[in-house]
Amino acid sequence: MPSRRRTLLKVIILGDSGVGKTSLMNQYVNKKFSNQYKATIGADFLTKEVQFEDRLFTLQIWDTAGQERFQSLGVAFYRGADCCVLVYDVNSMKSFENLNNWREEFLIQASPSDPENFPFVLIGNKVDVDDGNSRVVSEKKAKAWCASKGNIPYFETSAKVGTNVEEAFQCIAKDALKSGEEEELYLPDTIDVGTSNQQRSTGCEC
Amino acid sequence: MDEEYDVIVLGTGLKECILSGLLSVDGLKVLHMDRNDYYGGESSSLNLTQLWKRFRGSDTPEENLGASREYNVDMIPKFIMANGLLVQTLIHTDVTKYLNFKAVDGSFVYKKGKIYKVPATDVEALKSPLMGLFEKRRARKFFIYVQDYDEKDPKSHEGLDLSKVTAREIISKYGLEDDTIDFIGHALALHNDDDYLDQPAIDFVKRIKLYAESLARFQGGSPYIYPLYGLGELPQAFARLSAVYGGTYMLNKPECKVEFDGSGKAIGVTSAGETAKCKKVVCDPSYLSEKVKKVGKVTRAVCIMSHPIPDTNDAHSVQIILPQKQLGRKSDMYLFCCSYAHNVAPKGKYIAFVSAEAETDNPEEELKPGIELLGPTDEIFYHSYDTYVPTNIQEEDNCFISATYDATTHFESTVVDVLDMYTKITGKTLDLSVDLSAASAAAEN
């Protein structure tokens, strides 16, 4: 079956509502932060060019668009992901406890061909809040969780001030690239439906 | 829940998801719910386990069929006209960015026990045994007339008012034979029966033009396109559009019950003990079954095969139209086939569907002419469903109910229903010629 070299890498970001998923990707791609909290509106996917060893790749980072709030993400959202980013809020024990659910949901919906080695990255966000005084999930506890899931990488970030965001996404991009190259996906020829030009037919139809 | 919305949409079928997307883009506050834990409702695409559960009442499909997740079996199999209303809607909303499409390999028509490719090029047309040489000349004149016909340019009408002249009359003017009429009316204009012959010719001509324009659009072997991973991708894509514009999604909500006030107006929806308030309710027929009436029945066979349909030149995707007259029926029968090439089945597997408006209570016997064209099948499932239309008065109860999907092999009637509902819900007419993302990009500059 034909396949073409992959230059588009899909990354999805999962986690409870309000942990800062949208802010993280906005900080990484657009270097922006908004203090205004609304359960995600207007976030879709963002793309960023990344370079590794003289090759250019497009990282396509998919937000949940708020559909995770009532566990209503469809299978299409998960399909074809090259890396899964799990995000929790270090000030919310519940968001940390729900990581198991998010990871299991991903493995069920995405059905990766090698689930044991599929790349996850864990992010503990909002380390800036109250100068760290309202923190309830210790770094030690989070690292233990990562170790128990096959030593997945862990980053503590603040989307607000930009702490560690670049570092986290560099790791994500590297893991997505490695995953994407190993997966020899069947990529059928597709057609571009995006243009709205109206072609005039020439000649008779029959 | 326990909030207030402009519109609550029930059921995540394709029609409901398109409406949810359009209404959210318009700035309405939308809550969208479904009793199932997956998107698509009656127009979902099922994996193998879901298929077995639905049709065999068990959770364990045959192991030799391959991984369950590799199957995406459409419950409403239809191809998309490449220049049709659904493509216009996809472009209008920029939902194409969530989807990938392939051209469908070929379209065939059944005639006297055999299938013939519907020509896609001039060369194929000249070689085709569907018509004799002299008939081809007459047909060519007819097609040139249709191609040149422009509703706004009276010169192109050649003295005929197509809003008055019937299709039968215009066909007679070009001296076409019965077999040719059958072919043009059913395989090109895609009419489901022969009622069109005595209707004004304008619809007939427009449909042939749509076929030609769709054929030219991507220059594939047919006028159709089809999404990778099956048609269940479409509701999910429009649902994501709605979510991106603020729509709230709740799957797996049992028994969504519409609440009415003393004067019979919908005021909200209750599920699992919680009530969300709203001004309007949009839903498929199953959520308000007391406000719909049965108008027909569709019968269908769903088949898993390990080979392409015979005599289709090993096509990975194909439509075969069996005109009513060829079968002695009241309406056409349709075959639709897609395969692993569209990521709807594992390598080497094909999914075929035989569909028709039911005229008997015996699907196996009724669909036999179509099934006999398939060759051996690994598995076959039969199902029939009643088709409904709403009977309520929307101004009185603020409920907007979609019609059930018909047996046709394309989506034009589906989108017509959606656009009509959109106008009733909002009071506005949608201009599909505007590309929303291009318009908003221009506004940002």
Side-chain angles (χ1 to χ4, degrees), chain A residues 70, chain B residues 1 10-11 33-37 250-259 269-275 286-287:
Chain A
F70 300 103
Chain B
M1 272 176 96
L10 303 175
M33 302 165 71
D34 196 300
R35 62 172 77 85
N36 301 300
D37 66 351
M250 296 185 183
L251 298 183
N252 215 11
K253 291 302 250 186
E255 202 213 327
C256 305
K257 183 172 178 288
V258 182
E259 307 287 349
V269 173
T270 299
S271 173
E274 293 175 302
T275 301
S286 69
Y287 287 89

Side-chain angles (χ1 to χ4, degrees), chain A:
Chain A
M1 49 177 74
S3 75
R4 60 179 162 82
R5 208 167 206 203
R6 299 199 31 153
T7 57
L8 183 75
L9 300 167
K10 178 174 175 176
V11 171
I12 65 170
I13 304 192
L14 290 177
D16 281 1
S17 273
V19 296
K21 303 187 291 297
T22 307
S23 294
L24 278 164
M25 53 193 273
N26 267 315
Q27 178 62 258
Y28 174 57
V29 177
N30 299 322
K31 302 292 194 273
K32 278 181 191 167
F33 179 82
S34 165
N35 241 318
Q36 197 77 36
Y37 180 70
K38 268 182 176 176
T40 293
I41 288 183
D44 193 0
F45 59 82
L46 295 176
T47 59
K48 190 174 171 83
E49 302 293 321
V50 294
Q51 184 172 338
F52 282 109
E53 297 159 7
D54 298 329
R55 287 166 66 196
L56 259 179
F57 297 89
T58 303
L59 207 64
Q60 197 177 62
I61 307 167
W62 285 72
D63 202 347
T64 54
Q67 282 174 296
E68 82 286 11
R69 188 173 159 210
F70 300 103
Q71 289 83 50
S72 297
L73 289 159
V75 64
F77 171 78
Y78 292 95
R79 183 181 295 109
D82 296 299
C83 183
C84 178
V85 182
L86 300 170
V87 183
Y88 77 100
D89 177 349
V90 298
N91 311 285
S92 161
M93 182 60 69
K94 184 173 173 246
S95 70
F96 178 75
E97 286 163 355
N98 279 335
L99 290 176
N100 284 313
N101 296 334
W102 284 117
R103 184 173 172 278
E104 281 160 24
E105 179 73 1
F106 174 84
L107 291 171
I108 290 166
Q109 298 285 4
S111 297
S113 54
D114 185 6
E116 299 303 315
N117 294 304
F118 188 87
F120 287 89
V121 173
L122 179 64
I123 291 181
N125 192 37
K126 302 197 186 186
V127 294
D128 60 290
V129 169
D130 203 15
D131 284 334
N133 291 320
S134 57
R135 179 171 189 147
V136 294
V137 184
S138 69
E139 185 178 358
K140 180 182 175 186
K141 191 182 181 73
K143 283 184 169 174
W145 189 89
C146 291
S148 73
K149 305 301 176 191
N151 282 317
I152 65 180
Y154 177 58
F155 295 86
E156 298 205 331
T157 64
S158 164
K160 183 172 184 179
V161 303
T163 305
N164 261 352
V165 172
E166 181 71 27
E167 291 85 342
F169 277 92
Q170 285 294 319
C171 177
I172 289 159
K174 189 152 41 94
D175 283 357
L177 173 57
K178 187 175 166 217
S179 166
E181 287 198 317
E182 284 162 6
E183 192 90 3
E184 188 85 358
L185 279 198
Y186 178 62
L187 288 178
D189 293 333
T190 56
I191 54 181
D192 182 2
V193 183
T195 59
S196 56
N197 65 301
Q198 300 288 314
Q199 292 184 37
R200 288 278 165 248
S201 64
T202 53
C204 67
E205 303 79 45
C206 178

Side-chain angles (χ1 to χ4, degrees), chain A residues 42 44 63 72 76 195 203-204, chain B residues 39 98 122 147 236 240 244 251:
Chain A
D44 193 0
D63 202 347
S72 297
T195 59
C204 67
Chain B
Y39 285 93
Y98 304 132
D122 285 355
Q147 176 186 308
Q236 291 182 75
R240 182 165 175 96
V244 164
L251 298 183

